[in-house]
């Protein structure tokens, strides 16, 4: 019987290796990458249904049972994020057919994209804390290639900063894992949780709190939370639009997922200090993201700072630790991955048409490109959480969970952030799409219709995700239940141990 659990990792891995040998054959690369992405989406859908019907899926590699061997685990949280990643991967591959130049495609572009998907899907699926580090490194090494392909001055400058930050965070990750192993004597995530629970029955030792903070620093650097987000605006500004869409949708979300997984599975006993710290940092992240989003007149920077706002909103939902807030955090996480990818694609089309991302030099686009304008408008409303689009349900549940946990000030800031997000993103629409049309040199050569295919698909998914929230709610609720009750995860992984 096919184990769908490993296929979303295995398919892009095999594809990435094969495409290395076809580096100069661009059309062949496109076909192989596209078919592989479609296949990944299909197996991810089957995996979600398998988890829904049969519960948490596990796979012990090398025939060693947990907690002694390497275990892959797919609960509903993991399965939904793998599905979202696969859909975004497919959309970015389609967008790359027209959104990136052929010279870049010949430099192992599609191989790097597939290896990045291996890292992301692996991080979502692994049940071993050290292998989470391994998959992080696979993802990061692929991102190093993607951020520098093309060799422009800004890419080379920002890639040095990006590489240094991630090398430091990776070193801290290994240190954090070593400290944790020295205390609990295991690397299996379910077994770690069980061991920490046993230790905490005699009172929470200070070393566990120190390790929790260390992991928050590591994953906070990856996820760009306050005050560790300093590297993100410049690094994400440098690469071309398809790469930016991949980065904006996936990379920070792996850091957010890692915080959610460790803080609900490992460190939930010390709710006083660590959860309060997470709440404060989440709210600070929202505030700093809002300031950046409303201050800039560069369309890329505005959407990039909206990544930071979303990270804060999701982490606030996790820190509240109620069933509603966790449900809302997962709902909003999936929404944000999808809508950020579509927005960066749309911003890439605008920049390609106009030759600039400076909003003061853009106006009147909707007259000539009405499809682009109205697609961006719908995406903007969804990002802002306007009902009945996808951003509304998740944010509503997060705010409700914030009130339930008596974090009234945090819930109020999450609510207010929606207005600022709407202001920042509608600033692009009002100034860039309305007004007097301008003539842009080379605009006729841009294949706007074919570039619009991928973002239109993602925006349509965002609309359906919001309107059909009643259909997807049982899946999200099952995912939140796993986070809220660690015993479900532990029993599924350790079984007879």
């Amino acid at each position: 019987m096919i184990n769908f659990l490993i296929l979303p990792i295995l398919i892009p891995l095999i594809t990435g290796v094969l495409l290395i040998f076809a580096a100069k054959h661009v059309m062949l690369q496109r076909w192989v990458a596209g078919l592989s992405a479609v296949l990944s989406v299909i197996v991810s859908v089957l995996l979600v249904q398998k988890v829904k019907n049969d519960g948490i899926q596990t796979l012990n590699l090398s025939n060693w049972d947990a907690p002694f061997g390497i275990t892959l685990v797919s609960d509903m949280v993991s399965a939904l994020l793998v599905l979202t990643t696969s859909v975004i991967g497919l959309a970015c591959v389609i967008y790359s057919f027209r959104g990136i130049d052929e010279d870049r495609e010949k430099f192992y572009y599609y191989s790097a994209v597939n290896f990045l998907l291996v890292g992301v899907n692996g991080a979502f699926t692994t049940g071993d804390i050290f292998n989470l580090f391994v998959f992080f490194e696979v993802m990061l090494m692929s991102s190093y290639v993607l951020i520098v392909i093309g060799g422009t001055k800004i890419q080379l400058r920002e890639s040095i900063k990006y590489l240094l930050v991630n090398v430091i965070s990776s070193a801290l990750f290994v240190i954090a894992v070593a400290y944790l192993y020295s205390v609990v004597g295991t690397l299996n995530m379910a077994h770690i949780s069980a061991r920490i629970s046993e230790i905490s029955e005699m009172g929470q030792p200070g070393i566990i709190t120190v390790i929790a903070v260390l992991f928050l620093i590591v994953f906070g650097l990856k996820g760009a939370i306050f005050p560790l987000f300093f590297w993100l605006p410049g690094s994400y500004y440098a690469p071309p639009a398809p790469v930016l869409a991949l980065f904006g949708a996936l990379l920070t979300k792996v850091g957010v997922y890692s915080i959610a997984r460790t803080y609900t599975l490992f460190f939930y006993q010390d709710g006083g200090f660590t959860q309060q710290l997470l709440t404060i940092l989440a709210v600070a992240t929202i505030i700093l993201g809002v300031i950046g989003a409303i201050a800039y007149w560069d369309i890329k920077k505005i959407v990039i700072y909206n990544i930071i706002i979303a990270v804060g909103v999701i982490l606030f939902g996790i820190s509240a630790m109620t069933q509603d807030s966790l449900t809302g955090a997962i709902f909003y996480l999936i929404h944000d991955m999808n809508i950020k990818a579509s927005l960066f694609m749309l911003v890439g089309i605008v920049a390609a048409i106009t030759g600039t991302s400076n909003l003061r030099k853009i106006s009147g686009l909707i007259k000539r490109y009405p499809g682009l304008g109205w697609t961006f408008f719908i995406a903007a409303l969804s990002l802002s959480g306007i009902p009945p689009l996808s951003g509304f349900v998740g944010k509503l549940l997060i705010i409700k969970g914030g009130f339930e946990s008596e974090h009234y000030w945090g819930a109020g800031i999450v609510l207010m952030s929606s207005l600022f997000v709407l202001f920042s993103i509608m600033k692009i629409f009002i100034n860039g799409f309305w007004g007097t049309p301008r003539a842009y040199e080379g605009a006729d050569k841009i294949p706007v219709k074919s570039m619009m295919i991928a973002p239109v698909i993602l925006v349509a998914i965002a609309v359906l995700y919001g309107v059909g929230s009643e259909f997807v709610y049982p899946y999200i609720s099952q995912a939140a239940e796993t986070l809220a009750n660690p015993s479900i995860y532990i029993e599924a992984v350790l079984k007879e141990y």
Side-chain angles (χ1 to χ4, degrees):
M1 183 178 177
I2 297 174
N3 196 321
F4 295 111
L5 177 60
I6 199 169
L7 290 181
I9 302 171
L10 206 57
I11 291 168
L13 176 62
I14 294 170
T15 305
V17 172
L18 291 176
L19 290 176
I20 291 173
F21 300 100
K24 305 304 177 186
H25 304 283
V26 173
M27 286 305 298
L28 177 61
Q29 284 196 81
R30 290 176 179 176
W31 274 101
V32 173
L35 290 172
S36 170
V38 170
L39 186 57
S40 292
V41 172
I42 292 170
V43 298
S44 298
V45 170
L46 294 173
L47 176 61
V48 169
Q49 282 304 122
K50 182 75 173 173
V51 174
K52 181 72 170 66
N53 296 331
D54 300 335
I56 296 174
Q57 302 295 299
T58 62
L59 177 63
N60 296 314
L61 303 179
S62 303
N63 207 31
W64 284 85
D65 290 338
F68 306 108
I70 295 171
T71 306
L72 298 179
V73 184
S74 188
D75 59 356
M76 188 56 78
V77 182
S78 169
L80 288 173
L81 293 179
V82 165
L83 174 58
T84 308
T85 300
S86 299
V87 171
I88 290 168
L90 173 59
C92 287
V93 166
I94 294 170
Y95 185 72
S96 297
F97 296 162
R98 290 292 181 267
I100 201 164
D101 57 90
E102 196 168 305
D103 289 337
R104 282 187 167 106
E105 287 180 293
K106 289 179 179 178
F107 277 90
Y108 308 101
Y109 170 75
Y110 292 107
S111 286
V113 168
N114 275 277
F115 289 136
L116 185 137
L117 295 176
V118 170
V120 173
N121 285 338
F124 289 148
T125 306
T126 185
D128 182 285
I129 192 68
F130 185 78
N131 278 286
L132 179 61
F133 165 76
V134 172
F135 282 117
F136 259 107
E137 291 308 297
V138 172
M139 177 185 76
L140 289 172
M141 284 189 285
S142 306
S143 69
Y144 299 153
V145 176
L146 290 170
I147 201 172
V148 82
I149 282 181
T152 61
K153 185 177 180 180
I154 185 174
Q155 283 180 284
L156 294 173
R157 184 183 73 238
E158 294 299 334
S159 65
I160 294 170
K161 183 203 303 179
Y162 180 75
L163 195 149
L164 285 173
V165 167
N166 281 291
V167 166
I168 292 167
S169 68
S170 295
L172 288 173
F173 198 166
V174 174
I175 292 168
V177 170
Y179 271 128
L180 185 61
Y181 183 77
S182 71
V183 174
V184 298
T186 182
L187 295 171
N188 182 282
M189 292 166 79
H191 200 209
I192 290 170
S193 179
R195 284 285 178 86
I196 290 177
S197 183
E198 290 170 7
I199 294 168
S200 298
E201 286 177 3
M202 298 176 287
Q204 180 82 351
I207 187 64
I208 298 294
T209 302
V210 172
I211 293 169
V213 173
L214 193 53
F215 271 107
L216 183 58
I217 292 170
V218 170
F219 297 139
L221 268 168
K222 311 285 189 186
I225 69 172
F226 173 85
L228 306 171
F229 66 91
F230 58 89
W231 59 270
L232 185 140
S235 297
Y236 279 23
Y237 190 84
V243 176
L244 178 54
L246 265 179
F247 283 16
L250 301 180
L251 296 195
T252 54
K253 306 310 183 297
V254 178
V256 170
Y257 163 80
S258 301
I259 293 172
R261 180 64 77 190
T262 54
Y263 269 64
T264 57
L265 189 60
F266 300 169
F267 308 122
Y268 62 92
Q269 290 97 344
D270 186 20
F273 177 75
T274 53
Q275 299 295 346
Q276 188 177 9
L277 177 62
L278 185 58
T279 302
I280 293 168
L281 293 180
V283 172
T285 303
I286 296 170
I287 293 169
L288 266 293
V290 164
I291 292 170
I294 63 177
Y296 278 97
W297 281 82
D298 186 292
I299 55 176
K300 282 188 183 179
K301 285 283 178 72
I302 291 169
V303 183
I304 286 169
Y305 273 96
N306 271 285
I307 294 175
I308 297 171
I309 297 171
V311 167
V313 170
I314 297 162
L315 289 180
F316 177 78
I318 293 163
S319 70
M321 283 293 285
T322 69
Q323 183 75 29
D324 281 333
S325 71
L326 290 171
T327 305
I330 297 166
F331 207 107
Y332 197 82
L333 174 59
I334 295 169
H335 143 80
D336 193 68
M337 291 169 72
N338 179 71
I339 209 66
K340 284 297 191 308
S342 62
L343 277 170
F344 280 121
M345 290 177 187
L346 294 168
V347 164
I349 297 170
V350 171
I353 292 167
T354 62
T356 182
S357 57
N358 187 340
L359 195 53
R360 290 191 172 96
K361 297 179 181 179
I362 305 169
S363 68
L365 286 174
I366 201 163
K367 185 171 183 181
R368 187 170 180 186
Y369 306 99
L372 173 62
W374 292 117
T375 303
F376 186 92
F377 180 73
I378 295 169
L381 295 182
S382 182
L383 180 70
S384 306
I386 303 298
L389 301 173
S390 60
F392 172 71
V393 178
K395 191 167 284 189
L396 179 65
L397 288 170
I398 289 171
I399 293 167
K400 183 182 176 186
F403 283 122
E404 287 173 357
S405 61
E406 298 183 354
H407 292 151
Y408 303 114
W409 56 280
I413 289 172
V414 170
L415 184 60
M416 288 295 295
S417 71
S418 296
L419 298 177
F420 290 108
V421 168
L422 182 62
F423 171 79
S424 69
I425 211 74
M426 291 306 291
K427 182 166 71 173
I428 299 175
F429 183 73
I430 292 167
N431 291 277
F433 288 94
W434 294 118
T436 306
R438 300 187 186 188
Y440 300 103
E441 186 178 348
D444 294 334
K445 298 177 183 178
I446 306 300
V448 175
K449 289 184 178 179
S450 55
M451 290 176 75
M452 282 293 296
I453 294 171
V456 165
I457 290 171
L458 292 180
V459 171
I461 290 171
V463 173
L464 292 173
Y465 187 52
V467 174
S469 57
E470 190 173 343
F471 171 76
V472 300
Y473 186 82
Y475 295 87
I476 307 291
S477 182
Q478 182 178 334
E481 188 179 357
T482 306
L483 292 182
N485 300 295
S487 59
I488 298 172
Y489 184 96
I490 295 167
E491 289 169 9
V493 175
L494 298 182
K495 297 185 176 75
E496 302 299 325
Y497 177 75

